[in-house]
Amino acid sequence: MPAKSKIRASKRRARNGERVTFSGQLRGKPVANRKLVDLQAYYRGKWRTFATPRTDKKGKWRFRYRFGATRGTVVYRFRARIRREATYPYELGYSPQVR
């Protein structure tokens, strides 16, 4: 069974220099303490990992990201990628996408 996670962004729009907090929670039990979650953005035709936060004991994770080096209006897609690990009984999985 693939792993799942919720994902949300604190803002719908951000300009260069502004910060957005991405947060979410793993679904399912048991949650491995300090589980890795890859945050990815779809950019130039590929999913690219830009951060790897860890969960807490309840499976919650959070990461603050500062936008920079973007010119014009760009719509990014983001998702969380949940890795398969020996201490977590689920297969590789992904969250829904947010824009």
Side-chain angles (χ1 to χ4, degrees):
M1 174 179 280
K4 294 182 181 180
S5 177
K6 294 179 181 179
I7 185 171
R8 67 186 75 78
S10 62
K11 295 180 182 181
R12 290 191 49 88
R13 296 177 186 261
R15 293 189 173 160
N16 278 342
E18 292 184 339
R19 295 182 186 274
V20 173
T21 301
F22 294 96
S23 60
Q25 183 169 3
L26 296 180
R27 295 183 177 185
K29 303 287 183 204
V31 174
N33 188 25
R34 308 289 293 165
K35 170 100 181 73
L36 290 171
V37 176
D38 296 328
L39 295 182
Q40 297 183 322
Y42 192 77
Y43 180 68
R44 293 188 179 175
K46 290 174 52 171
W47 285 102
R48 300 167 191 268
T49 300
F50 65 92
T52 307
R54 290 185 179 268
T55 66
D56 64 11
K57 291 180 182 179
K58 295 180 180 179
K60 294 181 180 181
W61 55 267
R62 169 173 291 207
F63 183 79
R64 280 184 75 186
Y65 180 77
R66 184 175 173 264
F67 280 85
T70 300
R71 292 180 179 221
T73 300
V74 179
V75 177
Y76 290 104
R77 292 185 291 169
F78 298 96
R79 72 179 182 186
R81 177 181 178 262
I82 303 94
R83 302 176 185 188
R84 174 149 170 62
E85 293 180 14
T87 59
Y88 191 63
Y90 296 95
E91 296 294 324
L92 172 67
Y94 301 93
S95 71
Q97 297 176 23
V98 295
R99 294 176 181 257

